[in-house]
Amino acid sequence: MTRVLTILSRGFLFHEPDGSLATEPRGRIEYAHRGLCAWCSVPDKEKATPKAAWQFKTDFRDLHGEFPLLVDEEGSGWFHRHVHGVIAFVKDNPGAVYSGTPQKCAKLERGFDDAWRDKVTQMQMPVFSPTTKGQWGLRFKDILANALEQGPLCCTDVELPDELIDRLRAATPKEVPLHMVVTVVAYYLANKPDDSEWVVLPVANFDAYFGTTSFGRKILKKIPPEIMERSDTGFGICRYRIANAFR
């Protein structure tokens, strides 16, 4: 979630609605903060007690006019609608998902709104608040700071030469999908820093990109050292380097 919100923040801070670069990103911090609130918005309960002035709200329907695609008139933000859309799909198509998914979605349907409401409240907490807990590492202000440091969104797509893909095909075991290996190599070439041979591989992101956790659980360890050397995976990331023969 930190990565998703940071990407959103980079868009709010550094890009105009038409995609052009913004001239004063630091002057857009409040705008970006409102955008995050809209995306994360969750409707209040029907019989919820009105919040006092000092309380953090989690229903940002008042931002619908400014961010009509991110939050609707009922206070349902993009992420809230997305989760409930997944739940609805599973309920309507139980045969199209894994056998245990309907049970998990039933639990999610019962508890998601309350849990997400608590999380959105935590994301607004000041870092030095007496009630702030150490595990509350996801905060809007930290995300905005990370986004300012990372800069504008950019496209770093790399197309590998056919000759290199042919050599990767010859070196890749049959049980390893070639497109995964090609993607890992392309990511390395696009992100390799000038002062190091190593690149951080966000394994959890790659799982999401490929649409399967089998990449991180099974496939990654089967890529031979002749192609790639990597460290052990921890907290969803590892570092790796591609052999000189495939750069």
Side-chain angles (χ1 to χ4, degrees):
M1 187 59 67
T2 300
R3 296 167 187 154
V4 172
L5 293 177
T6 300
I7 290 171
L8 288 171
S9 298
R10 291 168 70 187
F12 292 135
L13 291 168
F14 292 97
H15 301 274
E16 301 290 351
D18 62 359
S20 61
L21 288 177
T23 56
E24 295 291 340
R26 292 187 178 275
R28 297 164 63 92
I29 292 177
E30 290 301 320
Y31 167 77
H33 184 271
R34 293 195 302 274
L36 293 178
C37 289
W39 191 88
C40 293
S41 180
V42 55
D44 286 334
K45 295 180 179 179
E46 291 184 6
K47 298 181 180 179
T49 303
K51 287 183 169 57
W54 58 269
Q55 292 178 304
F56 294 105
K57 67 178 184 178
T58 56
D59 185 329
F60 296 97
R61 64 185 68 194
D62 55 304
L63 295 176
H64 171 70
E66 186 175 12
F67 301 99
L69 298 180
L70 299 187
V71 59
D72 64 22
E73 294 176 330
E74 285 72 43
S76 180
W78 189 96
F79 184 60
H80 182 262
R81 298 197 304 273
H82 172 71
V83 170
H84 282 277
V86 171
I87 293 170
F89 175 85
V90 172
K91 291 173 68 175
D92 294 340
N93 303 274
V97 297
Y98 292 117
S99 59
T101 302
Q103 183 179 359
K104 293 179 180 178
C105 276
K107 182 178 180 181
L108 191 64
E109 186 176 22
R110 292 191 301 270
F112 171 74
D113 282 18
D114 286 341
W116 184 239
R117 203 172 281 117
D118 289 344
K119 180 61 68 176
V120 175
T121 298
Q122 293 171 14
M123 287 192 285
Q124 300 174 77
M125 286 286 184
V127 67
F128 296 117
S129 169
T131 58
T132 298
K133 298 181 180 179
Q135 65 265 33
W136 292 0
L138 188 62
R139 298 172 60 255
F140 285 152
K141 289 185 178 180
D142 296 332
I143 290 164
L144 291 168
N146 290 337
L148 282 171
E149 182 177 356
Q150 293 183 26
L153 297 170
C154 57
C155 179
T156 54
D157 288 344
V158 175
E159 293 188 8
L160 301 184
D162 292 340
E163 182 270 337
L164 177 54
I165 294 177
D166 288 340
R167 285 192 283 122
L168 286 171
R169 181 181 290 107
T172 300
K174 292 183 179 180
E175 65 271 20
V176 176
L178 178 63
H179 75 280
M180 291 186 176
V181 177
V182 170
T183 302
V184 168
V185 173
Y187 184 87
Y188 179 88
L189 296 177
N191 292 278
K192 180 186 175 301
D194 294 333
D195 58 351
S196 176
E197 294 290 309
W198 296 91
V199 168
V200 173
L201 178 66
V203 179
N205 285 14
F206 271 67
D207 283 339
Y209 178 77
F210 292 130
T212 173
T213 58
S214 65
F215 171 76
R217 292 186 297 106
K218 298 178 181 179
I219 301 300
L220 191 56
K221 66 181 66 175
K222 294 181 179 180
I223 300 177
E226 291 78 15
I227 296 178
M228 181 184 78
E229 179 185 357
R230 70 180 180 90
S231 64
D232 292 334
T233 302
F235 300 101
I237 63 173
C238 68
R239 64 174 193 152
Y240 75 115
R241 60 184 177 186
I242 300 298
N244 291 329
F246 298 101
R247 298 184 190 178

PDB file of all heavy atoms in Angstrom, residues 52-81:
ATOM      1  N   ALA A  52     -16.247  15.152  16.162  1.00  0.00           N
ATOM      2  CA  ALA A  52     -15.884  16.439  16.735  1.00  0.00           C
ATOM      3  C   ALA A  52     -14.799  17.093  15.881  1.00  0.00           C
ATOM      4  O   ALA A  52     -14.161  16.432  15.052  1.00  0.00           O
ATOM      5  CB  ALA A  52     -15.401  16.254  18.169  1.00  0.00           C
ATOM      6  N   ALA A  53     -14.578  18.365  16.106  1.00  0.00           N
ATOM      7  CA  ALA A  53     -13.622  19.109  15.285  1.00  0.00           C
ATOM      8  C   ALA A  53     -12.218  18.540  15.381  1.00  0.00           C
ATOM      9  O   ALA A  53     -11.430  18.635  14.433  1.00  0.00           O
ATOM     10  CB  ALA A  53     -13.633  20.581  15.700  1.00  0.00           C
ATOM     11  N   TRP A  54     -11.863  17.948  16.522  1.00  0.00           N
ATOM     12  CA  TRP A  54     -10.495  17.446  16.717  1.00  0.00           C
ATOM     13  C   TRP A  54     -10.298  16.047  16.155  1.00  0.00           C
ATOM     14  O   TRP A  54      -9.165  15.564  16.081  1.00  0.00           O
ATOM     15  CB  TRP A  54     -10.158  17.447  18.206  1.00  0.00           C
ATOM     16  CG  TRP A  54     -11.093  16.615  19.046  1.00  0.00           C
ATOM     17  CD1 TRP A  54     -12.225  17.041  19.656  1.00  0.00           C
ATOM     18  CD2 TRP A  54     -10.979  15.222  19.333  1.00  0.00           C
ATOM     19  NE1 TRP A  54     -12.840  16.009  20.323  1.00  0.00           N
ATOM     20  CE2 TRP A  54     -12.089  14.873  20.142  1.00  0.00           C
ATOM     21  CE3 TRP A  54     -10.058  14.231  19.004  1.00  0.00           C
ATOM     22  CZ2 TRP A  54     -12.291  13.580  20.601  1.00  0.00           C
ATOM     23  CZ3 TRP A  54     -10.269  12.941  19.473  1.00  0.00           C
ATOM     24  CH2 TRP A  54     -11.370  12.626  20.258  1.00  0.00           C
ATOM     25  N   GLN A  55     -11.363  15.382  15.738  1.00  0.00           N
ATOM     26  CA  GLN A  55     -11.260  14.005  15.262  1.00  0.00           C
ATOM     27  C   GLN A  55     -10.946  13.964  13.759  1.00  0.00           C
ATOM     28  O   GLN A  55     -11.377  14.834  12.999  1.00  0.00           O
ATOM     29  CB  GLN A  55     -12.557  13.249  15.543  1.00  0.00           C
ATOM     30  CG  GLN A  55     -12.828  13.001  17.014  1.00  0.00           C
ATOM     31  CD  GLN A  55     -14.147  12.298  17.233  1.00  0.00           C
ATOM     32  OE1 GLN A  55     -15.195  12.754  16.806  1.00  0.00           O
ATOM     33  NE2 GLN A  55     -14.100  11.154  17.922  1.00  0.00           N
ATOM     34  N   PHE A  56     -10.207  12.956  13.359  1.00  0.00           N
ATOM     35  CA  PHE A  56      -9.889  12.777  11.950  1.00  0.00           C
ATOM     36  C   PHE A  56     -11.055  12.089  11.253  1.00  0.00           C
ATOM     37  O   PHE A  56     -11.506  11.032  11.682  1.00  0.00           O
ATOM     38  CB  PHE A  56      -8.630  11.923  11.787  1.00  0.00           C
ATOM     39  CG  PHE A  56      -7.388  12.574  12.314  1.00  0.00           C
ATOM     40  CD1 PHE A  56      -6.828  12.149  13.507  1.00  0.00           C
ATOM     41  CD2 PHE A  56      -6.795  13.614  11.635  1.00  0.00           C
ATOM     42  CE1 PHE A  56      -5.687  12.749  14.007  1.00  0.00           C
ATOM     43  CE2 PHE A  56      -5.651  14.227  12.124  1.00  0.00           C
ATOM     44  CZ  PHE A  56      -5.098  13.789  13.312  1.00  0.00           C
ATOM     45  N   LYS A  57     -11.534  12.678  10.180  1.00  0.00           N
ATOM     46  CA  LYS A  57     -12.630  12.052   9.451  1.00  0.00           C
ATOM     47  C   LYS A  57     -12.080  11.076   8.421  1.00  0.00           C
ATOM     48  O   LYS A  57     -10.908  11.150   8.013  1.00  0.00           O
ATOM     49  CB  LYS A  57     -13.502  13.103   8.780  1.00  0.00           C
ATOM     50  CG  LYS A  57     -12.844  13.880   7.644  1.00  0.00           C
ATOM     51  CD  LYS A  57     -13.846  14.859   7.041  1.00  0.00           C
ATOM     52  CE  LYS A  57     -13.250  15.573   5.830  1.00  0.00           C
ATOM     53  NZ  LYS A  57     -14.234  16.489   5.211  1.00  0.00           N
ATOM     54  N   THR A  58     -12.912  10.154   8.003  1.00  0.00           N
ATOM     55  CA  THR A  58     -12.513   9.157   7.005  1.00  0.00           C
ATOM     56  C   THR A  58     -13.449   9.161   5.807  1.00  0.00           C
ATOM     57  O   THR A  58     -13.202   8.457   4.831  1.00  0.00           O
ATOM     58  CB  THR A  58     -12.500   7.748   7.636  1.00  0.00           C
ATOM     59  OG1 THR A  58     -13.785   7.470   8.206  1.00  0.00           O
ATOM     60  CG2 THR A  58     -11.442   7.653   8.725  1.00  0.00           C
ATOM     61  N   ASP A  59     -14.533   9.918   5.879  1.00  0.00           N
ATOM     62  CA  ASP A  59     -15.487  10.062   4.785  1.00  0.00           C
ATOM     63  C   ASP A  59     -15.216  11.401   4.114  1.00  0.00           C
ATOM     64  O   ASP A  59     -15.459  12.458   4.694  1.00  0.00           O
ATOM     65  CB  ASP A  59     -16.919   9.999   5.332  1.00  0.00           C
ATOM     66  CG  ASP A  59     -17.974  10.033   4.226  1.00  0.00           C
ATOM     67  OD1 ASP A  59     -17.722  10.661   3.178  1.00  0.00           O
ATOM     68  OD2 ASP A  59     -19.060   9.452   4.429  1.00  0.00           O
ATOM     69  N   PHE A  60     -14.697  11.359   2.887  1.00  0.00           N
ATOM     70  CA  PHE A  60     -14.291  12.576   2.195  1.00  0.00           C
ATOM     71  C   PHE A  60     -15.173  12.853   0.982  1.00  0.00           C
ATOM     72  O   PHE A  60     -14.677  13.241  -0.086  1.00  0.00           O
ATOM     73  CB  PHE A  60     -12.815  12.485   1.789  1.00  0.00           C
ATOM     74  CG  PHE A  60     -11.875  12.405   2.956  1.00  0.00           C
ATOM     75  CD1 PHE A  60     -11.398  11.175   3.396  1.00  0.00           C
ATOM     76  CD2 PHE A  60     -11.485  13.549   3.628  1.00  0.00           C
ATOM     77  CE1 PHE A  60     -10.533  11.095   4.485  1.00  0.00           C
ATOM     78  CE2 PHE A  60     -10.618  13.478   4.708  1.00  0.00           C
ATOM     79  CZ  PHE A  60     -10.142  12.258   5.141  1.00  0.00           C
ATOM     80  N   ARG A  61     -16.467  12.661   1.136  1.00  0.00           N
ATOM     81  CA  ARG A  61     -17.382  12.913   0.023  1.00  0.00           C
ATOM     82  C   ARG A  61     -17.361  14.376  -0.397  1.00  0.00           C
ATOM     83  O   ARG A  61     -17.737  14.709  -1.531  1.00  0.00           O
ATOM     84  CB  ARG A  61     -18.799  12.482   0.391  1.00  0.00           C
ATOM     85  CG  ARG A  61     -19.437  13.265   1.533  1.00  0.00           C
ATOM     86  CD  ARG A  61     -20.792  12.686   1.895  1.00  0.00           C
ATOM     87  NE  ARG A  61     -20.654  11.356   2.494  1.00  0.00           N
ATOM     88  CZ  ARG A  61     -21.661  10.513   2.654  1.00  0.00           C
ATOM     89  NH1 ARG A  61     -22.881  10.851   2.250  1.00  0.00           N
ATOM     90  NH2 ARG A  61     -21.477   9.329   3.218  1.00  0.00           N
ATOM     91  N   ASP A  62     -16.938  15.266   0.500  1.00  0.00           N
ATOM     92  CA  ASP A  62     -16.858  16.680   0.158  1.00  0.00           C
ATOM     93  C   ASP A  62     -15.795  16.965  -0.898  1.00  0.00           C
ATOM     94  O   ASP A  62     -15.764  18.058  -1.478  1.00  0.00           O
ATOM     95  CB  ASP A  62     -16.567  17.515   1.412  1.00  0.00           C
ATOM     96  CG  ASP A  62     -15.314  17.060   2.137  1.00  0.00           C
ATOM     97  OD1 ASP A  62     -15.230  15.866   2.495  1.00  0.00           O
ATOM     98  OD2 ASP A  62     -14.404  17.887   2.354  1.00  0.00           O
ATOM     99  N   LEU A  63     -14.921  15.977  -1.179  1.00  0.00           N
ATOM    100  CA  LEU A  63     -13.890  16.137  -2.209  1.00  0.00           C
ATOM    101  C   LEU A  63     -14.339  15.615  -3.571  1.00  0.00           C
ATOM    102  O   LEU A  63     -13.557  15.615  -4.522  1.00  0.00           O
ATOM    103  CB  LEU A  63     -12.608  15.413  -1.781  1.00  0.00           C
ATOM    104  CG  LEU A  63     -11.899  15.956  -0.538  1.00  0.00           C
ATOM    105  CD1 LEU A  63     -10.705  15.082  -0.182  1.00  0.00           C
ATOM    106  CD2 LEU A  63     -11.465  17.401  -0.744  1.00  0.00           C
ATOM    107  N   HIS A  64     -15.596  15.183  -3.661  1.00  0.00           N
ATOM    108  CA  HIS A  64     -16.090  14.632  -4.930  1.00  0.00           C
ATOM    109  C   HIS A  64     -15.994  15.647  -6.063  1.00  0.00           C
ATOM    110  O   HIS A  64     -15.638  15.296  -7.191  1.00  0.00           O
ATOM    111  CB  HIS A  64     -17.539  14.159  -4.768  1.00  0.00           C
ATOM    112  CG  HIS A  64     -18.189  13.773  -6.067  1.00  0.00           C
ATOM    113  ND1 HIS A  64     -17.818  12.641  -6.781  1.00  0.00           N
ATOM    114  CD2 HIS A  64     -19.181  14.376  -6.787  1.00  0.00           C
ATOM    115  CE1 HIS A  64     -18.560  12.558  -7.879  1.00  0.00           C
ATOM    116  NE2 HIS A  64     -19.377  13.587  -7.909  1.00  0.00           N
ATOM    117  N   GLY A  65     -16.306  16.913  -5.780  1.00  0.00           N
ATOM    118  CA  GLY A  65     -16.241  17.926  -6.823  1.00  0.00           C
ATOM    119  C   GLY A  65     -14.842  18.110  -7.377  1.00  0.00           C
ATOM    120  O   GLY A  65     -14.663  18.334  -8.574  1.00  0.00           O
ATOM    121  N   GLU A  66     -13.828  18.004  -6.517  1.00  0.00           N
ATOM    122  CA  GLU A  66     -12.437  18.188  -6.947  1.00  0.00           C
ATOM    123  C   GLU A  66     -11.856  16.917  -7.543  1.00  0.00           C
ATOM    124  O   GLU A  66     -11.056  16.975  -8.487  1.00  0.00           O
ATOM    125  CB  GLU A  66     -11.586  18.628  -5.752  1.00  0.00           C
ATOM    126  CG  GLU A  66     -10.159  18.998  -6.113  1.00  0.00           C
ATOM    127  CD  GLU A  66      -9.378  19.538  -4.928  1.00  0.00           C
ATOM    128  OE1 GLU A  66      -9.861  19.409  -3.772  1.00  0.00           O
ATOM    129  OE2 GLU A  66      -8.285  20.090  -5.143  1.00  0.00           O
ATOM    130  N   PHE A  67     -12.267  15.758  -7.011  1.00  0.00           N
ATOM    131  CA  PHE A  67     -11.741  14.469  -7.488  1.00  0.00           C
ATOM    132  C   PHE A  67     -12.908  13.514  -7.788  1.00  0.00           C
ATOM    133  O   PHE A  67     -13.113  12.525  -7.084  1.00  0.00           O
ATOM    134  CB  PHE A  67     -10.829  13.846  -6.433  1.00  0.00           C
ATOM    135  CG  PHE A  67      -9.649  14.694  -6.039  1.00  0.00           C
ATOM    136  CD1 PHE A  67      -9.681  15.456  -4.884  1.00  0.00           C
ATOM    137  CD2 PHE A  67      -8.509  14.728  -6.826  1.00  0.00           C
ATOM    138  CE1 PHE A  67      -8.603  16.233  -4.492  1.00  0.00           C
ATOM    139  CE2 PHE A  67      -7.420  15.504  -6.455  1.00  0.00           C
ATOM    140  CZ  PHE A  67      -7.464  16.267  -5.295  1.00  0.00           C
ATOM    141  N   PRO A  68     -13.689  13.790  -8.825  1.00  0.00           N
ATOM    142  CA  PRO A  68     -14.893  12.993  -9.091  1.00  0.00           C
ATOM    143  C   PRO A  68     -14.606  11.526  -9.406  1.00  0.00           C
ATOM    144  O   PRO A  68     -15.475  10.670  -9.194  1.00  0.00           O
ATOM    145  CB  PRO A  68     -15.534  13.701 -10.292  1.00  0.00           C
ATOM    146  CG  PRO A  68     -14.403  14.454 -10.939  1.00  0.00           C
ATOM    147  CD  PRO A  68     -13.507  14.868  -9.815  1.00  0.00           C
ATOM    148  N   LEU A  69     -13.412  11.230  -9.911  1.00  0.00           N
ATOM    149  CA  LEU A  69     -13.079   9.835 -10.234  1.00  0.00           C
ATOM    150  C   LEU A  69     -12.527   9.079  -9.035  1.00  0.00           C
ATOM    151  O   LEU A  69     -12.464   7.850  -9.051  1.00  0.00           O
ATOM    152  CB  LEU A  69     -12.068   9.785 -11.380  1.00  0.00           C
ATOM    153  CG  LEU A  69     -12.528  10.383 -12.714  1.00  0.00           C
ATOM    154  CD1 LEU A  69     -11.413  10.263 -13.754  1.00  0.00           C
ATOM    155  CD2 LEU A  69     -13.793   9.691 -13.209  1.00  0.00           C
ATOM    156  N   LEU A  70     -12.119   9.794  -8.006  1.00  0.00           N
ATOM    157  CA  LEU A  70     -11.486   9.156  -6.853  1.00  0.00           C
ATOM    158  C   LEU A  70     -12.454   8.901  -5.709  1.00  0.00           C
ATOM    159  O   LEU A  70     -12.249   7.980  -4.918  1.00  0.00           O
ATOM    160  CB  LEU A  70     -10.311  10.004  -6.362  1.00  0.00           C
ATOM    161  CG  LEU A  70      -9.177  10.237  -7.358  1.00  0.00           C
ATOM    162  CD1 LEU A  70      -8.021  10.952  -6.678  1.00  0.00           C
ATOM    163  CD2 LEU A  70      -8.706   8.930  -7.977  1.00  0.00           C
ATOM    164  N   VAL A  71     -13.487   9.716  -5.578  1.00  0.00           N
ATOM    165  CA  VAL A  71     -14.462   9.519  -4.503  1.00  0.00           C
ATOM    166  C   VAL A  71     -15.837   9.915  -5.030  1.00  0.00           C
ATOM    167  O   VAL A  71     -15.989  10.923  -5.726  1.00  0.00           O
ATOM    168  CB  VAL A  71     -14.088  10.359  -3.256  1.00  0.00           C
ATOM    169  CG1 VAL A  71     -14.017  11.846  -3.567  1.00  0.00           C
ATOM    170  CG2 VAL A  71     -15.066  10.098  -2.121  1.00  0.00           C
ATOM    171  N   ASP A  72     -16.840   9.092  -4.750  1.00  0.00           N
ATOM    172  CA  ASP A  72     -18.178   9.397  -5.248  1.00  0.00           C
ATOM    173  C   ASP A  72     -18.953  10.257  -4.245  1.00  0.00           C
ATOM    174  O   ASP A  72     -18.449  10.623  -3.177  1.00  0.00           O
ATOM    175  CB  ASP A  72     -18.940   8.125  -5.613  1.00  0.00           C
ATOM    176  CG  ASP A  72     -19.204   7.213  -4.417  1.00  0.00           C
ATOM    177  OD1 ASP A  72     -19.190   7.701  -3.268  1.00  0.00           O
ATOM    178  OD2 ASP A  72     -19.427   6.002  -4.632  1.00  0.00           O
ATOM    179  N   GLU A  73     -20.188  10.553  -4.581  1.00  0.00           N
ATOM    180  CA  GLU A  73     -20.991  11.458  -3.762  1.00  0.00           C
ATOM    181  C   GLU A  73     -21.398  10.839  -2.431  1.00  0.00           C
ATOM    182  O   GLU A  73     -21.841  11.534  -1.523  1.00  0.00           O
ATOM    183  CB  GLU A  73     -22.238  11.889  -4.537  1.00  0.00           C
ATOM    184  CG  GLU A  73     -21.908  12.738  -5.766  1.00  0.00           C
ATOM    185  CD  GLU A  73     -23.142  13.063  -6.575  1.00  0.00           C
ATOM    186  OE1 GLU A  73     -24.084  12.235  -6.563  1.00  0.00           O
ATOM    187  OE2 GLU A  73     -23.164  14.119  -7.215  1.00  0.00           O
ATOM    188  N   GLU A  74     -21.265   9.505  -2.302  1.00  0.00           N
ATOM    189  CA  GLU A  74     -21.587   8.824  -1.047  1.00  0.00           C
ATOM    190  C   GLU A  74     -20.367   8.620  -0.161  1.00  0.00           C
ATOM    191  O   GLU A  74     -20.448   7.984   0.891  1.00  0.00           O
ATOM    192  CB  GLU A  74     -22.246   7.470  -1.326  1.00  0.00           C
ATOM    193  CG  GLU A  74     -23.688   7.564  -1.794  1.00  0.00           C
ATOM    194  CD  GLU A  74     -23.798   8.096  -3.213  1.00  0.00           C
ATOM    195  OE1 GLU A  74     -22.993   7.657  -4.068  1.00  0.00           O
ATOM    196  OE2 GLU A  74     -24.671   8.942  -3.470  1.00  0.00           O
ATOM    197  N   GLY A  75     -19.206   9.098  -0.605  1.00  0.00           N
ATOM    198  CA  GLY A  75     -18.005   8.983   0.203  1.00  0.00           C
ATOM    199  C   GLY A  75     -17.198   7.727  -0.034  1.00  0.00           C
ATOM    200  O   GLY A  75     -16.245   7.444   0.701  1.00  0.00           O
ATOM    201  N   SER A  76     -17.551   6.958  -1.054  1.00  0.00           N
ATOM    202  CA  SER A  76     -16.810   5.732  -1.361  1.00  0.00           C
ATOM    203  C   SER A  76     -15.633   6.067  -2.267  1.00  0.00           C
ATOM    204  O   SER A  76     -15.817   6.485  -3.419  1.00  0.00           O
ATOM    205  CB  SER A  76     -17.725   4.704  -2.046  1.00  0.00           C
ATOM    206  OG  SER A  76     -17.017   3.518  -2.343  1.00  0.00           O
ATOM    207  N   GLY A  77     -14.430   5.908  -1.730  1.00  0.00           N
ATOM    208  CA  GLY A  77     -13.227   6.199  -2.498  1.00  0.00           C
ATOM    209  C   GLY A  77     -12.891   5.091  -3.478  1.00  0.00           C
ATOM    210  O   GLY A  77     -13.503   4.015  -3.481  1.00  0.00           O
ATOM    211  N   TRP A  78     -11.873   5.346  -4.314  1.00  0.00           N
ATOM    212  CA  TRP A  78     -11.509   4.387  -5.370  1.00  0.00           C
ATOM    213  C   TRP A  78     -11.185   3.027  -4.769  1.00  0.00           C
ATOM    214  O   TRP A  78     -11.652   2.000  -5.255  1.00  0.00           O
ATOM    215  CB  TRP A  78     -10.314   4.908  -6.169  1.00  0.00           C
ATOM    216  CG  TRP A  78     -10.024   4.091  -7.387  1.00  0.00           C
ATOM    217  CD1 TRP A  78     -10.437   4.341  -8.662  1.00  0.00           C
ATOM    218  CD2 TRP A  78      -9.268   2.864  -7.444  1.00  0.00           C
ATOM    219  NE1 TRP A  78     -10.002   3.354  -9.504  1.00  0.00           N
ATOM    220  CE2 TRP A  78      -9.278   2.433  -8.791  1.00  0.00           C
ATOM    221  CE3 TRP A  78      -8.598   2.099  -6.495  1.00  0.00           C
ATOM    222  CZ2 TRP A  78      -8.626   1.269  -9.197  1.00  0.00           C
ATOM    223  CZ3 TRP A  78      -7.955   0.939  -6.898  1.00  0.00           C
ATOM    224  CH2 TRP A  78      -7.973   0.531  -8.234  1.00  0.00           C
ATOM    225  N   PHE A  79     -10.371   3.007  -3.723  1.00  0.00           N
ATOM    226  CA  PHE A  79      -9.951   1.731  -3.158  1.00  0.00           C
ATOM    227  C   PHE A  79     -11.125   1.009  -2.510  1.00  0.00           C
ATOM    228  O   PHE A  79     -11.274  -0.210  -2.639  1.00  0.00           O
ATOM    229  CB  PHE A  79      -8.834   1.955  -2.139  1.00  0.00           C
ATOM    230  CG  PHE A  79      -8.264   0.684  -1.577  1.00  0.00           C
ATOM    231  CD1 PHE A  79      -7.671  -0.244  -2.410  1.00  0.00           C
ATOM    232  CD2 PHE A  79      -8.318   0.410  -0.218  1.00  0.00           C
ATOM    233  CE1 PHE A  79      -7.145  -1.431  -1.903  1.00  0.00           C
ATOM    234  CE2 PHE A  79      -7.806  -0.765   0.296  1.00  0.00           C
ATOM    235  CZ  PHE A  79      -7.218  -1.684  -0.549  1.00  0.00           C
ATOM    236  N   HIS A  80     -11.987   1.740  -1.826  1.00  0.00           N
ATOM    237  CA  HIS A  80     -13.178   1.150  -1.206  1.00  0.00           C
ATOM    238  C   HIS A  80     -14.071   0.520  -2.270  1.00  0.00           C
ATOM    239  O   HIS A  80     -14.548  -0.618  -2.112  1.00  0.00           O
ATOM    240  CB  HIS A  80     -13.935   2.242  -0.441  1.00  0.00           C
ATOM    241  CG  HIS A  80     -15.150   1.753   0.270  1.00  0.00           C
ATOM    242  ND1 HIS A  80     -16.415   1.882  -0.279  1.00  0.00           N
ATOM    243  CD2 HIS A  80     -15.321   1.133   1.468  1.00  0.00           C
ATOM    244  CE1 HIS A  80     -17.308   1.371   0.559  1.00  0.00           C
ATOM    245  NE2 HIS A  80     -16.664   0.906   1.614  1.00  0.00           N
ATOM    246  N   ARG A  81     -14.289   1.209  -3.376  1.00  0.00           N
ATOM    247  CA  ARG A  81     -15.120   0.654  -4.457  1.00  0.00           C
ATOM    248  C   ARG A  81     -14.446  -0.549  -5.093  1.00  0.00           C
ATOM    249  O   ARG A  81     -15.108  -1.527  -5.465  1.00  0.00           O
ATOM    250  CB  ARG A  81     -15.392   1.736  -5.513  1.00  0.00           C
ATOM    251  CG  ARG A  81     -16.164   2.931  -4.986  1.00  0.00           C
ATOM    252  CD  ARG A  81     -16.774   3.765  -6.120  1.00  0.00           C
ATOM    253  NE  ARG A  81     -15.786   4.214  -7.083  1.00  0.00           N
ATOM    254  CZ  ARG A  81     -15.084   5.334  -6.972  1.00  0.00           C
ATOM    255  NH1 ARG A  81     -15.247   6.115  -5.906  1.00  0.00           N
ATOM    256  NH2 ARG A  81     -14.223   5.681  -7.898  1.00  0.00           N
TER     257      ARG A  81
END
